[in-house]
Amino acid sequence: MDAGTAAVLGALAGSVATIGAAMAAGWAQREGARIVARSQHRREMREARHGAYEKFISSMLSLHAQTSIFQGDAEMVPEEMSNESYSQLHQLATSVERNSVAVALAGPKEVTEAALKIARMSVELVGQIGFVQLGTDMSDERQVNRWRWRLSKVIADHAVLFENSLDDFVYLAQAALDDDGSAN
C-alpha cells in the first residue's frame, strides 16, 4: 500500500469515526430532550390531577359530613326533612358529580372509574333520601311505615358504601399521584 492510499484510507476512517461520534451525540441529545420533556409532562399532569382530586375529595367530604348520620342504622334516617336541608344535599351531590368530570379527564383509568362510580352513588344516595318525603303522601300508615323502614335501610347501607368509596378513592388518587412512570 502506498502512502497516498494510506492517507485516503486514514482520512476515510477519521471521517467515519467523526460521523459515528456525531450521530451518537445527536442520539444522546434527542434522548435527553425526550426524557426532559416526558418529565415535564408528568409534572404538569401531576399538578392538574392533584387539583382535580383535591376538589373532588373536598366535595365528597362535604356530602359525607351531611349523610354520615344515616350510616348503618335505619332508625337514624329522619321521617321528614326540610326542603332547605334536601336542597343542600342535592347541591352537594351535584358538586361531587361536577368535580368527578374533572377527575375523569385527569385520569388515569382506575381513578376515572372510581370517580364516576362515586358520582353516581352520591346522586343515588341523595335521591333516596329525597324519596323519604314521598312516603307521607300514602294513605295507609302501615304501608308508609314499611316503605319508610325499607327505604331507610337502603339509605343506611348506601351511606356506608359511600364512605367506603371515599376511602378507596383517596388511596387510588394517592397511588396515581405517586406514580412516576418508571414502570412504563
Side-chain angles (χ1 to χ4, degrees):
M1 173 181 306
D2 64 9
T5 305
V8 169
L9 288 176
L12 183 62
S15 296
V16 169
T18 303
I19 290 172
M23 287 177 64
W27 176 84
Q29 241 181 349
R30 281 192 306 278
E31 189 63 22
R34 188 180 69 78
I35 290 170
V36 169
R38 182 173 180 176
S39 174
Q40 180 65 24
H41 175 71
R42 284 206 170 271
R43 185 174 25 261
E44 290 171 2
M45 285 299 299
R46 185 186 190 289
E47 290 171 7
R49 284 179 176 169
H50 183 274
Y53 296 172
E54 185 176 27
K55 285 180 183 177
F56 183 64
I57 291 168
S58 177
S59 64
M60 287 171 51
L61 288 171
S62 296
L63 180 59
H64 177 261
Q66 298 299 314
T67 59
S68 63
I69 62 167
F70 305 129
Q71 287 181 329
D73 189 0
E75 300 294 323
M76 296 302 294
V77 176
E79 290 188 15
E80 291 187 29
M81 179 177 279
S82 71
N83 287 340
E84 183 179 318
S85 294
Y86 181 73
S87 178
Q88 182 182 14
L89 285 176
H90 186 268
Q91 288 174 356
L92 291 171
T94 300
S95 175
V96 169
E97 193 173 32
R98 184 176 49 253
N99 288 321
S100 74
V101 173
V103 170
L105 292 174
K109 184 179 179 183
E110 300 83 23
V111 176
T112 295
E113 290 170 349
L116 295 176
K117 178 182 173 186
I118 290 167
R120 287 188 297 272
M121 190 182 303
S122 67
V123 169
E124 186 176 321
L125 175 61
V126 171
Q128 290 166 345
I129 292 169
F131 278 133
V132 170
Q133 298 297 76
L134 298 177
T136 58
D137 293 339
M138 295 179 191
S139 58
D140 182 5
E141 178 131 355
R142 285 185 7 191
Q143 184 182 8
V144 169
N145 289 338
R146 271 187 303 212
W147 181 81
R148 184 168 284 149
W149 184 84
R150 283 187 202 133
L151 185 59
S152 296
K153 180 94 173 93
V154 169
I155 291 170
D157 292 345
H158 272 80
V160 170
L161 288 173
F162 182 73
E163 180 180 37
N164 293 341
S165 295
L166 174 98
D167 294 343
D168 293 344
F169 180 82
V170 170
Y171 298 133
L172 277 174
Q174 285 175 338
L177 292 174
D178 288 344
D179 180 17
D180 65 359
S182 61
N184 294 338

